Amino acid sequence: MKDIDDTQQPLLEHLIELRRRLLYCIVALVVTFLVSFYFAKPIFGFLVRPLAAAGQTKVVYTEIFGAFFVQVKVAFFAALMLSFPVVANQLWQFVAPGLYRKEKQALLPFLFATPLLFLTGAALAYFVAIPTALHFLLSYQGDLGNGVQQEALPEVIKYLDFIMQFLFAFGITFLLPVLLMLLERSGIVTYEQLKGAWRYAVVAAFAIAAVLTPPDVGSQLLLAVPLVGLYFISLAAIWFTRRRREQQDQVEAA
């Protein structure tokens, strides 16, 4: 059984293959966009549930095309998530023939772990971080004195940007284990370097949380603490996989 596909294709055939894979990705994105646009209203209804749970039952749009643009943006974001498995599969099929068997075995877990980790981060944002941030931000409503009332009227496009920022920020940051393990496998960093830099990683986690979340301590902790935990989980996973690789190399060398 051959360890690698030794078929050598000319550069033009590689470009044709890349174009074919990109076309599949574009078709998947367009199809999921059209389906998501049809269901854009219930999807946005799902996204505004945390706002309703925080006591805000009305959103407004200040431009005549605001509601339409919201549906387009909702459909586009939903299409990105729904088409990701197809895009990842096409990318894998393009690069897999040029990988050794061990490299394929090493990359496949990352391919499956990426959407799971992203969804875990997005779920934490939707069910915990966003409600916490909304309760904090909407708590500033009320009487300002002299009979003047301060009331929040969220604008639909800005609210959508707000919630998508949360979802993508948490989802992408939860890919930290995948990034660190890929960097270690490629030789860019070592386990010893990552272990020695844990203090800087903790500071960086809180700095990232301060930038990506509202200025309340609760929201920042909800992102910073999982980031720190994921960093140490990554260290443990790297130590385990490196030890396993060393054992396999010893067995093969024996």
Side-chain angles (χ1 to χ4, degrees), residues 7-22:
T7 302
Q8 296 184 357
Q9 296 180 337
L11 177 60
L12 180 60
E13 292 187 17
H14 280 291
L15 294 176
I16 293 174
E17 177 69 10
L18 177 61
R19 184 186 66 176
R20 187 164 68 93
R21 299 299 177 188
L22 289 175

Side-chain angles (χ1 to χ4, degrees), residues 134-183:
L134 288 175
H135 277 92
F136 170 77
L137 296 173
L138 294 175
S139 65
Y140 287 93
Q141 297 183 96
D143 189 6
L144 296 178
N146 300 319
V148 178
Q149 294 288 325
Q150 183 170 256
E151 182 180 2
L153 291 175
E155 206 274 331
V156 287
I157 294 181
K158 292 182 178 179
Y159 172 76
L160 180 62
D161 292 339
F162 168 82
I163 196 169
M164 296 311 299
Q165 176 186 350
F166 258 95
L167 294 176
F168 276 93
F170 274 73
I172 291 174
T173 52
F174 266 61
L175 299 180
L176 180 65
V178 173
L179 174 62
L180 293 180
M181 294 185 74
L182 285 175
L183 290 175

Side-chain angles (χ1 to χ4, degrees), residues 43-76:
I43 294 174
F44 188 57
F46 175 77
L47 294 177
V48 297
R49 283 183 186 177
L51 187 63
Q56 186 70 36
T57 58
K58 180 186 294 185
V59 292
V60 300
Y61 55 95
T62 57
E63 297 176 334
I64 195 66
F65 45 77
F68 172 75
F69 276 176
V70 165
Q71 285 193 280
V72 172
K73 294 181 72 171
V74 166
F76 179 71

Side-chain angles (χ1 to χ4, degrees), residues 167-222:
L167 294 176
F168 276 93
F170 274 73
I172 291 174
T173 52
F174 266 61
L175 299 180
L176 180 65
V178 173
L179 174 62
L180 293 180
M181 294 185 74
L182 285 175
L183 290 175
E184 190 271 339
R185 289 300 298 264
S186 62
I188 297 176
V189 296
T190 64
Y191 170 77
E192 289 72 21
Q193 289 174 331
L194 293 173
K195 183 179 178 181
W198 72 268
R199 296 178 181 85
Y200 302 102
V202 172
V203 174
F206 279 89
I208 292 172
V211 172
L212 297 179
T213 60
D216 64 292
V217 178
S219 299
Q220 293 174 6
L221 289 175
L222 285 171

